[in-house]
C-alpha cells in the first residue's frame, strides 16, 4: 500500500498552526506487511519477488518504483477499475500514533486463486503471506489457501498472524488459526494469540498451533520465544527508543526468515530478527533508510511474497476505514 507518514518538519494536519501553511503535513512512503518483508530480504541479498495488484494511479506507480529501487521484482496486475490501497499514520494527541487503513475495494482485495497459481509458477524457495491478506475478501482467502495448500514440495511456507482488531472477529479468528496450522513457519504475538484464541503463554500458543515446524511467539518488550520440535529458544527484545512500532514485526519476521534461508540455527535467526526490529522501531515509517554506504550493509546478510508487530505494548491504534476513500 501507499503510506502517508507525518512530516516531522511540518505542523500537524488539521491544527491551527497548519492552516494556510504551504508545507505538506505528510510525506509519501510505502508499507504493507508482505512488501515490508520483501524489502528487508532483498536488502539481505536474496532474490525476491512480490506479487500483488495495484490500481492504475499515482500511488500504485509509487509503490512499484520504490519496490523496484530496493531490488524487489514486482509481479503485479494493474487494475484500471480499482484503486491502490492506502494507509495513514497520524498523531493521536497523546504522544502516540493512530493508524488508519483505506483498503476496502482496493485492487489487492481482488487477489485470488489465479494469483496463487502465478506465484507457484515462479517456483519460490519460500513463500510468505499473512493473516491480513487471508481475511480481506473471499477471493483473498482463496489466494492464501492456494499458497498454503498448493505449494510445491520443498517450498517453505511462512505465515505471520498479523492480528488487526478491525479485521479479525470470531469467524476470522478460526480462519487465521486454520491457515497458521498449515504453514511451516508461523509468527504470532502473544497478545495477538490472546485476543484471537484466548491463550495465555507461549507454550499454549505452541500447543494450539500444531502442524508448523517452527512457531515464533513474539512477547513485546520481553522478546520472542521459538519452538521447533523439542527445542525452545528465547531472544530478548532490543533496548531501543520506540518512535513508532508499526512495521517492526515485519522486520523481525524478515530477520528470522533470512536466518532460515542461510542455514542458521534458531538462536541466530531470532537474534537477526531482533536486530532488524530494533532498527525499525526507531523510525516513523515502516522501513528504515539504508546505510550511508547505500549497499544495505547495515542489514546483515528467493522468497516470494503474496500479499506485525514485534511489540504491541506500544502498538499504534488501528482503524480500518472500510468505506474507503
Amino acid at each position: 500500500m501507499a503510506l502517508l507518514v507525518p512530516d516531522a518538519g511540518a505542523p500537524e494536519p488539521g491544527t491551527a498552526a497548519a492552516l494556510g501553511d504551504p508545507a505538506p503535513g505528510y510525506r509519501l512512503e510505502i508499507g504493507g506487511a508482505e512488501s515490508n518483508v520483501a524489502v528487508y530480504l532483498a536488502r539481505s541479498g536474496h532474490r525476491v519477488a512480490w506479487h500483488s495488484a495495484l490500481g492504475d494511479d499515482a500511488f500504485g506507480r509509487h509503490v512499484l518504483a520504490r519496490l523496484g529501487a530496493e531490488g524487489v521484482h514486482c509481479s503485479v496486475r494493474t487494475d484500471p477499475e480499482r484503486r491502490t490501497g492506502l494507509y495513514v499514520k497520524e498523531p493521536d494527541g497523546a504522544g502516540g500514533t493512530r493508524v488508519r487503513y483505506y483498503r476496502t475495494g482496493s485492487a489487492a482485495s481482488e487477489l485470488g486463486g489465479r494469483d496463487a497459481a502465478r506465484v507457484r509458477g515462479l517456483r519460490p524457495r519460500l513463500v510468505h503471506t499473512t493473516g491480513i491478506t487471508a481475511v480481506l475478501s473471499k477471493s483473498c482467502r482463496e489466494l492464501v489457501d492456494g499458497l498454503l495448500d498448493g505449494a510445491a514440495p520443498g517450498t517453505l511456507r511462512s505465515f505471520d498472524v498479523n492480528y488487526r482488531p478491525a479485521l479479525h472477529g470470531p469467524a476470522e479468528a478460526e480462519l487465521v488459526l486454520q491457515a497458521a496450522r498449515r504453514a511451516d513457519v508461523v509468527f504470532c504475538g502473544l497478545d495477538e494469540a490472546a485476543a484471537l484464541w484466548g491463550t495465555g503463554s507461549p507454550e499454549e500458543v505452541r500447543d494450539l498451533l500444531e502442524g508448523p515446524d517452527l512457531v515464533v511467539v513474539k512477547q513485546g518488550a520481553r522478546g520472542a520465544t521459538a519452538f521447533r520440535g523439542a527445542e525452545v529458544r528465547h531472544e530478548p527484545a532490543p533496548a531501543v527508543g520506540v518512535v513508532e512500532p508499526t512495521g517492526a514485526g515485519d522486520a523481525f519476521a524478515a530477520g528470522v526468515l533470512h536466518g532460515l534461508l542461510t542455514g542458521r540455527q534458531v538462536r541466530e535467526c531470532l537474534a537477526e530478527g531482533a536486530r532488524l526490529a530494533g532498527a525499525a522501531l526507531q523510525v516513523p515509517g515502516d522501513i528504515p533508510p539504508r546505510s550511508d554506504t547505500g549497499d544495505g550493509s547495515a542489514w546483515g546478510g528467493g522468497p516470494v511474497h503474496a500479499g506485525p508487530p514485534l511489540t504491541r505494548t506500544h502498538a499504534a491504534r488501528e482503524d480500518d476505514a472500510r468505506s474507503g476513500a
Side-chain angles (χ1 to χ4, degrees), residues 37 160 187 218 245-254 277 280 308-311:
V37 174
D160 194 338
F187 300 93
K218 298 171 287 185
T246 305
D250 305 326
F252 179 82
L310 173 71
T311 172

mmCIF file of all heavy atoms in Angstrom, residues 37 160 187 218 245-254 277 280 308-311:
data_model
loop_
_atom_site.group_PDB
_atom_site.id
_atom_site.type_symbol
_atom_site.label_atom_id
_atom_site.label_comp_id
_atom_site.label_asym_id
_atom_site.label_seq_id
_atom_site.Cartn_x
_atom_site.Cartn_y
_atom_site.Cartn_z
ATOM 1 N N VAL A 37 8.452 -7.138 4.321
ATOM 2 C CA VAL A 37 9.318 -8.315 4.427
ATOM 3 C C VAL A 37 10.123 -8.492 3.137
ATOM 4 O O VAL A 37 11.307 -8.825 3.169
ATOM 5 C CB VAL A 37 8.480 -9.569 4.737
ATOM 6 C CG1 VAL A 37 9.352 -10.835 4.698
ATOM 7 C CG2 VAL A 37 7.818 -9.447 6.099
ATOM 8 N N ASP A 160 2.523 -15.031 8.890
ATOM 9 C CA ASP A 160 2.521 -14.115 10.033
ATOM 10 C C ASP A 160 1.076 -13.788 10.370
ATOM 11 O O ASP A 160 0.326 -13.301 9.520
ATOM 12 C CB ASP A 160 3.296 -12.847 9.684
ATOM 13 C CG ASP A 160 3.627 -11.995 10.905
ATOM 14 O OD1 ASP A 160 2.934 -12.138 11.932
ATOM 15 O OD2 ASP A 160 4.567 -11.192 10.831
ATOM 16 N N PHE A 187 4.611 -16.864 12.685
ATOM 17 C CA PHE A 187 4.929 -15.768 13.593
ATOM 18 C C PHE A 187 3.624 -15.298 14.227
ATOM 19 O O PHE A 187 2.649 -15.025 13.525
ATOM 20 C CB PHE A 187 5.574 -14.603 12.844
ATOM 21 C CG PHE A 187 6.851 -14.960 12.152
ATOM 22 C CD1 PHE A 187 6.856 -15.370 10.823
ATOM 23 C CD2 PHE A 187 8.067 -14.888 12.826
ATOM 24 C CE1 PHE A 187 8.036 -15.706 10.182
ATOM 25 C CE2 PHE A 187 9.252 -15.220 12.192
ATOM 26 C CZ PHE A 187 9.238 -15.633 10.872
ATOM 27 N N LYS A 218 6.057 -13.844 19.595
ATOM 28 C CA LYS A 218 6.605 -12.529 19.945
ATOM 29 C C LYS A 218 5.967 -12.056 21.242
ATOM 30 O O LYS A 218 4.746 -12.117 21.391
ATOM 31 C CB LYS A 218 6.354 -11.548 18.807
ATOM 32 C CG LYS A 218 7.031 -11.950 17.497
ATOM 33 C CD LYS A 218 6.585 -11.093 16.331
ATOM 34 C CE LYS A 218 5.173 -11.431 15.899
ATOM 35 N NZ LYS A 218 4.769 -10.682 14.686
ATOM 36 N N PRO A 245 5.897 1.747 16.311
ATOM 37 C CA PRO A 245 6.102 0.300 16.259
ATOM 38 C C PRO A 245 5.648 -0.392 14.995
ATOM 39 O O PRO A 245 6.110 -1.500 14.704
ATOM 40 C CB PRO A 245 5.297 -0.206 17.462
ATOM 41 C CG PRO A 245 4.182 0.781 17.587
ATOM 42 C CD PRO A 245 4.779 2.120 17.202
ATOM 43 N N THR A 246 4.726 0.208 14.244
ATOM 44 C CA THR A 246 4.181 -0.491 13.091
ATOM 45 C C THR A 246 5.291 -0.777 12.076
ATOM 46 O O THR A 246 6.008 0.114 11.653
ATOM 47 C CB THR A 246 3.072 0.339 12.426
ATOM 48 O OG1 THR A 246 2.081 0.667 13.404
ATOM 49 C CG2 THR A 246 2.434 -0.433 11.289
ATOM 50 N N GLY A 247 5.419 -2.026 11.670
ATOM 51 C CA GLY A 247 6.454 -2.445 10.734
ATOM 52 C C GLY A 247 7.590 -3.202 11.401
ATOM 53 O O GLY A 247 8.349 -3.899 10.724
ATOM 54 N N ALA A 248 7.717 -3.080 12.734
ATOM 55 C CA ALA A 248 8.808 -3.780 13.415
ATOM 56 C C ALA A 248 8.626 -5.286 13.355
ATOM 57 O O ALA A 248 9.605 -6.034 13.258
ATOM 58 C CB ALA A 248 8.894 -3.316 14.871
ATOM 59 N N GLY A 249 7.386 -5.762 13.406
ATOM 60 C CA GLY A 249 7.146 -7.192 13.305
ATOM 61 C C GLY A 249 7.544 -7.753 11.952
ATOM 62 O O GLY A 249 8.003 -8.896 11.855
ATOM 63 N N ASP A 250 7.362 -6.963 10.899
ATOM 64 C CA ASP A 250 7.785 -7.400 9.568
ATOM 65 C C ASP A 250 9.298 -7.510 9.498
ATOM 66 O O ASP A 250 9.838 -8.443 8.893
ATOM 67 C CB ASP A 250 7.288 -6.413 8.513
ATOM 68 C CG ASP A 250 5.789 -6.198 8.576
ATOM 69 O OD1 ASP A 250 5.068 -7.156 8.906
ATOM 70 O OD2 ASP A 250 5.334 -5.065 8.313
ATOM 71 N N ALA A 251 9.982 -6.555 10.113
ATOM 72 C CA ALA A 251 11.444 -6.609 10.162
ATOM 73 C C ALA A 251 11.901 -7.850 10.923
ATOM 74 O O ALA A 251 12.838 -8.553 10.512
ATOM 75 C CB ALA A 251 11.995 -5.350 10.829
ATOM 76 N N PHE A 252 11.236 -8.138 12.043
ATOM 77 C CA PHE A 252 11.574 -9.310 12.832
ATOM 78 C C PHE A 252 11.385 -10.586 12.009
ATOM 79 O O PHE A 252 12.264 -11.465 11.972
ATOM 80 C CB PHE A 252 10.707 -9.354 14.087
ATOM 81 C CG PHE A 252 10.965 -10.554 14.953
ATOM 82 C CD1 PHE A 252 12.028 -10.567 15.832
ATOM 83 C CD2 PHE A 252 10.145 -11.669 14.886
ATOM 84 C CE1 PHE A 252 12.279 -11.678 16.627
ATOM 85 C CE2 PHE A 252 10.371 -12.775 15.666
ATOM 86 C CZ PHE A 252 11.442 -12.784 16.552
ATOM 87 N N ALA A 253 10.249 -10.704 11.348
ATOM 88 C CA ALA A 253 9.994 -11.891 10.532
ATOM 89 C C ALA A 253 11.037 -12.039 9.439
ATOM 90 O O ALA A 253 11.533 -13.145 9.173
ATOM 91 C CB ALA A 253 8.592 -11.810 9.922
ATOM 92 N N ALA A 254 11.398 -10.932 8.793
ATOM 93 C CA ALA A 254 12.399 -10.994 7.723
ATOM 94 C C ALA A 254 13.749 -11.452 8.256
ATOM 95 O O ALA A 254 14.455 -12.227 7.602
ATOM 96 C CB ALA A 254 12.533 -9.632 7.053
ATOM 97 N N ALA A 277 14.324 -5.617 13.885
ATOM 98 C CA ALA A 277 13.167 -4.992 14.521
ATOM 99 C C ALA A 277 13.578 -3.771 15.326
ATOM 100 O O ALA A 277 12.873 -2.752 15.342
ATOM 101 C CB ALA A 277 12.453 -6.005 15.409
ATOM 102 N N ALA A 280 13.845 -0.894 13.047
ATOM 103 C CA ALA A 280 12.548 -0.428 12.556
ATOM 104 C C ALA A 280 11.788 0.355 13.615
ATOM 105 O O ALA A 280 11.027 1.280 13.289
ATOM 106 C CB ALA A 280 11.715 -1.625 12.098
ATOM 107 N N PRO A 308 2.115 -7.697 13.096
ATOM 108 C CA PRO A 308 3.442 -7.357 12.647
ATOM 109 C C PRO A 308 4.148 -7.248 13.842
ATOM 110 O O PRO A 308 5.078 -8.008 13.837
ATOM 111 C CB PRO A 308 3.261 -6.332 11.635
ATOM 112 C CG PRO A 308 2.027 -5.619 11.946
ATOM 113 C CD PRO A 308 1.426 -6.429 13.122
ATOM 114 N N PRO A 309 3.443 -7.265 14.767
ATOM 115 C CA PRO A 309 4.493 -6.402 15.255
ATOM 116 C C PRO A 309 5.356 -7.083 16.316
ATOM 117 O O PRO A 309 4.891 -7.947 17.042
ATOM 118 C CB PRO A 309 3.771 -5.221 15.840
ATOM 119 C CG PRO A 309 2.342 -5.380 15.436
ATOM 120 C CD PRO A 309 2.152 -6.813 15.095
ATOM 121 N N LEU A 310 6.583 -6.723 16.432
ATOM 122 C CA LEU A 310 7.456 -7.254 17.478
ATOM 123 C C LEU A 310 6.851 -6.976 18.844
ATOM 124 O O LEU A 310 6.860 -7.802 19.728
ATOM 125 C CB LEU A 310 8.833 -6.590 17.401
ATOM 126 C CG LEU A 310 9.794 -6.924 18.541
ATOM 127 C CD1 LEU A 310 10.258 -8.363 18.398
ATOM 128 C CD2 LEU A 310 10.971 -5.980 18.556
ATOM 129 N N THR A 311 6.336 -5.782 18.991
ATOM 130 C CA THR A 311 5.714 -5.439 20.268
ATOM 131 C C THR A 311 4.384 -4.744 20.030
ATOM 132 O O THR A 311 4.256 -3.968 19.105
ATOM 133 C CB THR A 311 6.615 -4.510 21.098
ATOM 134 O OG1 THR A 311 5.886 -4.073 22.245
ATOM 135 C CG2 THR A 311 7.058 -3.287 20.326
#
